[in-house]
Amino acid sequence: MLGVFVVTDEALNTLLIVFMKSNTYNNMKTISLLFIISLLINGAVIESVSVNIGFSITFHTNTVIQSDDVIEWRHGYELVAKRVRGSIFLFSGSEGRFTDRVKLNYETGDLTIIEVRSESIGDYNLQITGEKNTRQTFSVSTRGGYTDHVTSLTVMEGDSVRLKAGVPDFENYDVIRWRFENSSLAEINRKTEIISTHDERFRDRLELDRWSADITITNITTDLSGLYEVKVDSNRGTHTIHRSYTVTVSDEVKSVSVMEGDSLTLHIDIPIQRDDHTDWGFGPDELKPDSIQSLYRYSERFRDRLQKDNEIGSLTITNVTTEDSGVYQVRIIMGNFPQSIKKRFIVTVTARDRSSGVSLGGSCVGVLLVLVSSQVL
């Protein structure tokens, strides 16, 4: 005989309380499984979501929220956000993993996870209790093994910067929108096959990749410093992936002098992490910085005179000669993420008078520090 069992909300809540008071509560996997089973029994919708580490994600309830509805969001079995009796409560989670990283929209019930990390992956369970009960689960995974927490970028005027849209799967995302300082910048709509750019300030220097939806800004100027935002909407309207970048365009110039025979240390002034590494290059013509080649090509010229500090990334050249004048460039590879930051130093070495021991011509050494970002974010 076929039997149909109907499990009410009260019965499920009672069952959860019994388990939580028992020794089974110590088994987190059991509690998570029990919660998911309760969702399935009550017709919860389960949707798979993929997001890049470092990007934010907003889950949409897609339902009309009543003033007296109770809204609960859980990560696995842990409560992370709740709306009840006109108030919003946010929870830090175990070991504070959600501290300052959760937002709950009071009007819509949408949940935002700020800068997704590895500990943020898993199932997010929504339960709305009220006139119309709703349950839904978003199963979140990440793409790629890299970590990217860079949201503030500094570039030199006249250089290029690339900002990553972070679209994880093109089949599930239709609309990608870029904004600059609250004005529309660029958009890709896959349904209508429309690709458009809007801001005249970016004429002839904004490149929009139709496949990745990344943008590249060439010949950037100081007036393009500011906040850049990207939003990627799923084609079902269930969630949005988004991120903000603060871009600073600098025209700063610094100078320093060094004499022939002295030592010169080039400091990158950027914190180096354990997984980062630096790659130094040199070009003998300071007027042609694009001719920079790896220092390995000049091993004979710099034989036994180079010292590289792997902890802070600096490069020291001992007993410098006039032939060492030119452009030095360092490329900083940040972790496993395909991103690099470049710095250039234009160096001129002043020759000494061999007979008197003083410098000839009173020339000074100029070091031009150029912050060049060549990010692929």
Side-chain angles (χ1 to χ4, degrees), residues 240-301:
T240 300
I241 297 171
H242 48 100
R243 190 166 192 186
S244 299
Y245 298 92
T246 300
V247 177
T248 302
V249 183
S250 174
D251 57 0
E252 179 184 15
V253 176
K254 293 181 180 180
S255 62
V256 66
S257 60
V258 65
M259 297 296 297
E260 183 182 21
D262 291 342
S263 294
L264 171 66
T265 299
L266 305 178
H267 297 281
I268 63 175
D269 297 324
I270 294 177
I272 299 296
Q273 306 301 321
R274 178 179 301 178
D275 295 332
D276 299 345
H277 66 276
T278 56
D279 180 23
W280 284 89
F282 171 69
D285 189 346
E286 67 179 39
L287 299 179
K288 298 179 180 179
D290 293 337
S291 64
I292 295 174
Q293 301 290 331
S294 172
L295 276 175
Y296 292 112
R297 295 188 58 134
Y298 300 93
S299 57
E300 291 299 321
R301 173 181 295 184

Side-chain angles (χ1 to χ4, degrees), residues 254-264 266 282-287 317 320-328 344-352 359-369:
K254 293 181 180 180
S255 62
V256 66
S257 60
V258 65
M259 297 296 297
E260 183 182 21
D262 291 342
S263 294
L264 171 66
L266 305 178
F282 171 69
D285 189 346
E286 67 179 39
L287 299 179
I317 308 170
V320 296
T321 68
T322 55
E323 291 186 346
D324 298 336
S325 298
V327 180
Y328 293 80
R344 291 196 192 117
F345 305 83
I346 300 180
V347 176
T348 305
V349 180
T350 303
R352 294 181 183 273
S359 61
L360 293 174
S363 301
C364 67
V365 176
V367 177
L368 174 62
L369 172 59

Side-chain angles (χ1 to χ4, degrees), residues 53 142-147 336-337:
I53 292 291
T142 60
R143 295 176 63 87
Y146 54 79
T147 301
N336 296 321
F337 191 73

Side-chain angles (χ1 to χ4, degrees), residues 80-369:
V80 296
K82 183 174 183 176
R83 194 200 82 163
V84 61
R85 299 188 184 92
S87 299
I88 287 180
F89 301 90
L90 304 178
F91 303 88
S92 299
S94 58
E95 300 181 355
R97 54 186 169 152
F98 288 108
T99 301
D100 299 325
R101 295 182 48 242
V102 176
K103 292 182 180 180
L104 181 63
N105 187 304
Y106 182 86
E107 299 294 333
T108 65
D110 295 350
L111 179 74
T112 298
I113 305 299
I114 302 171
E115 292 188 5
V116 171
R117 304 173 185 174
S118 56
E119 61 267 27
S120 307
I121 64 174
D123 291 340
Y124 287 83
N125 304 304
L126 165 67
Q127 177 175 318
I128 302 176
T129 305
E131 180 179 340
K132 181 181 179 181
N133 295 336
T134 301
R135 284 187 170 88
Q136 187 168 1
T137 295
F138 296 88
S139 183
V140 178
S141 61
T142 60
R143 295 176 63 87
Y146 54 79
T147 301
D148 167 31
H149 296 297
V150 177
T151 55
S152 297
L153 312 173
T154 301
V155 299
M156 194 65 188
E157 187 173 25
D159 289 307
S160 300
V161 61
R162 180 163 180 160
L163 305 180
K164 190 176 180 66
V167 182
D169 186 350
F170 289 109
E171 294 181 357
N172 295 321
Y173 298 88
D174 286 333
V175 180
I176 300 96
R177 296 184 178 93
W178 282 95
R179 297 181 66 83
F180 171 64
E181 292 293 325
N182 294 320
S183 64
S184 182
L185 178 60
E187 178 179 327
I188 294 179
N189 191 318
R190 301 190 187 282
K191 288 183 178 179
T192 59
E193 298 184 352
I194 292 178
I195 301 177
S196 57
T197 56
H198 306 282
D199 200 313
E200 289 297 320
R201 287 173 292 180
F202 295 85
R203 178 183 292 275
D204 299 326
R205 50 184 167 181
L206 179 66
E207 300 174 0
L208 177 61
D209 190 314
R210 64 175 302 164
W211 300 111
S212 67
D214 299 348
I215 61 171
T216 300
I217 306 167
T218 61
N219 192 26
I220 197 167
T221 55
T222 54
D223 63 314
L224 300 183
S225 297
L227 183 66
Y228 292 80
E229 300 172 280
V230 60
K231 289 188 176 181
V232 184
D233 294 324
S234 66
N235 49 24
R236 296 177 56 186
T238 56
H239 62 278
T240 300
I241 297 171
H242 48 100
R243 190 166 192 186
S244 299
Y245 298 92
T246 300
V247 177
T248 302
V249 183
S250 174
D251 57 0
E252 179 184 15
V253 176
K254 293 181 180 180
S255 62
V256 66
S257 60
V258 65
M259 297 296 297
E260 183 182 21
D262 291 342
S263 294
L264 171 66
T265 299
L266 305 178
H267 297 281
I268 63 175
D269 297 324
I270 294 177
I272 299 296
Q273 306 301 321
R274 178 179 301 178
D275 295 332
D276 299 345
H277 66 276
T278 56
D279 180 23
W280 284 89
F282 171 69
D285 189 346
E286 67 179 39
L287 299 179
K288 298 179 180 179
D290 293 337
S291 64
I292 295 174
Q293 301 290 331
S294 172
L295 276 175
Y296 292 112
R297 295 188 58 134
Y298 300 93
S299 57
E300 291 299 321
R301 173 181 295 184
F302 295 102
R303 179 183 292 274
D304 301 325
R305 295 193 298 119
L306 297 179
Q307 299 174 4
K308 180 180 175 182
D309 190 320
N310 292 324
E311 291 188 3
I312 63 175
S314 63
L315 178 72
T316 298
I317 308 170
T318 61
N319 192 25
V320 296
T321 68
T322 55
E323 291 186 346
D324 298 336
S325 298
V327 180
Y328 293 80
Q329 177 175 282
V330 60
R331 186 167 64 114
I332 308 158
I333 310 299
M334 305 185 70
N336 296 321
F337 191 73
Q339 167 194 288
S340 65
I341 295 177
K342 292 181 181 177
K343 278 193 172 184
R344 291 196 192 117
F345 305 83
I346 300 180
V347 176
T348 305
V349 180
T350 303
R352 294 181 183 273
D353 185 337
R354 303 300 181 186
S355 59
S356 63
V358 299
S359 61
L360 293 174
S363 301
C364 67
V365 176
V367 177
L368 174 62
L369 172 59

